[in-house]
Amino acid sequence: MTLLAALIGALVAWAGSQGGVTVGGVPAFAIAVAAAFLIQWLVFIPSYRFQTEKFFDLTGSLTYLTVVGISLWASRQNAAVDGRSLLLAALVAVWAIRLGSFLFSRIHRAGKDDRFDDLKPSFVRFLNVWTMQGLWVTFTAAAALVAITSTYRKDLDGFALVGTLLWLFGFGFEAVADAQKSRFNSDPGNRGRFIATGLWSRSRHPNYFGEIVLWIGVAVIALPVLHGWQRIALISPVFVAILLTRISGIPLLARKAEAKWGGQADYEAYKERTPVLIPRLW
């Protein structure tokens, strides 16, 4: 899995580097992708040694900030950084800081993340998880990073406006959903119960809905400056959607929810009236 993920990352780095700026002859986008994986592997070493997952989410967020910083720096070495690049960098950075701090504080309060219980003892399986985070960073941030390092430039336009509005909507939706669930879980009276209020009464996974929408917004902003093979970066929101709805997000949480509340009348009624992802309007 680690080798396959690294190979996929290398292919994305090659495609996204076409028409991009270089540093010492090396494509800046490729440098950013390499850094995304290297950071995970470096932090994996002490994490495996001390059998802890506490810095997993925080490392992911710091990786986003690092690769955005590398991309901006490389772009500046070749030409002036334009408004679209600064906008994309700011949006990714704000998202990473907000989500990273939220997830880190959550695991700090809980003391552990039980998703890693069966993975930590195995060197290979635990390494795979960290490597997949490197691939996650590469795919999700690809549209922003390729646009920032692209040699094509275009003034801020309607795409930037529409994309920013989508990002603001998705970011706000995700942040509010996370805050509502955090408050719900912090109330001792809700111990053992599931949340079905606020945005969670409209969607069973409103935070994931917001996550997908905000990355669509990033892709829309980047679209006008992507050319040729660079357009592979538009897979970013598609990857996020597939991962959250088919692989590691909703399927895992659904199994845990069924184990806790499956068969209970109130939970079955909640599932019946509440969409899995896209919120109902009434």
Side-chain angles (χ1 to χ4, degrees):
M1 182 67 73
T2 293
L3 291 177
L4 178 61
L7 176 59
I8 294 173
L11 291 174
V12 173
W14 173 82
S17 294
Q18 308 304 307
V21 300
T22 62
V23 177
V26 180
F29 178 64
I31 295 174
V33 171
F37 283 92
L38 182 59
I39 292 170
Q40 311 313 308
W41 293 334
L42 289 175
V43 181
F44 159 76
I45 296 172
S47 297
Y48 177 73
R49 170 67 179 79
F50 296 104
Q51 289 291 285
T52 179
E53 72 280 9
K54 289 186 176 181
F55 300 103
F56 183 78
D57 293 316
L58 184 61
T59 299
S61 295
L62 292 175
T63 303
Y64 280 100
L65 297 177
T66 300
V67 296
V68 164
I70 289 173
S71 299
L72 282 175
W73 172 80
S75 182
R76 186 174 178 80
Q77 303 309 302
N78 289 265
V81 177
D82 66 343
R84 191 180 306 270
S85 297
L86 291 175
L87 174 61
L88 287 167
L91 296 183
V92 174
V94 169
W95 168 83
I97 292 170
R98 202 288 304 179
L99 186 61
S101 59
F102 170 77
L103 294 176
F104 181 72
S105 62
R106 186 177 69 179
I107 195 172
H108 182 71
R109 289 194 303 270
K112 59 176 291 187
D113 187 334
D114 55 16
R115 296 175 303 170
F116 293 87
D117 287 349
D118 296 331
L119 300 173
K120 287 184 294 185
S122 169
F123 180 92
V124 173
R125 294 180 67 193
F126 200 32
L127 176 61
N128 285 341
V129 172
W130 286 87
T131 303
M132 288 304 297
Q133 180 159 257
L135 190 62
W136 162 265
V137 172
T138 297
F139 268 113
T140 53
L145 299 180
V146 172
I148 292 172
T149 58
S150 177
T151 56
Y152 301 100
R153 288 287 184 261
K154 190 173 182 180
D155 292 338
L156 294 175
D157 52 12
F159 283 95
L161 175 60
V162 172
T164 301
L165 291 175
L166 284 170
W167 185 92
L168 288 171
F169 174 78
F171 179 83
F173 212 88
E174 181 182 40
V176 170
D178 283 340
Q180 289 176 342
K181 190 170 185 178
S182 182
R183 285 196 300 271
F184 180 87
N185 289 335
S186 65
D187 184 347
N190 292 325
R191 186 176 301 277
R193 300 174 57 195
F194 61 90
I195 183 172
T197 57
L199 295 180
W200 299 84
S201 68
R202 302 289 177 175
S203 166
R204 278 182 265 164
H205 303 281
N207 52 339
Y208 289 163
F209 172 74
E211 177 87 353
I212 293 169
V213 171
L214 73 85
W215 286 113
I216 292 175
V218 169
V220 170
I221 297 171
L223 179 60
V225 296
L226 302 181
H227 290 74
W229 279 103
Q230 290 181 336
R231 293 192 180 96
I232 195 174
L234 295 176
I235 198 175
S236 170
V238 178
F239 173 80
V240 173
I242 291 175
L243 190 65
L244 292 180
T245 62
R246 294 289 183 265
I247 303 175
S248 69
I250 291 176
L252 292 179
L253 293 178
R255 286 195 291 270
K256 290 179 64 176
E258 284 298 321
K260 287 183 178 180
W261 306 297
Q264 295 183 15
D266 56 348
Y267 181 67
E268 296 301 327
Y270 172 69
K271 287 197 302 179
E272 182 68 24
R273 70 175 182 268
T274 311
V276 174
L277 182 68
I278 300 176
R280 60 185 176 87
L281 300 178
W282 56 86

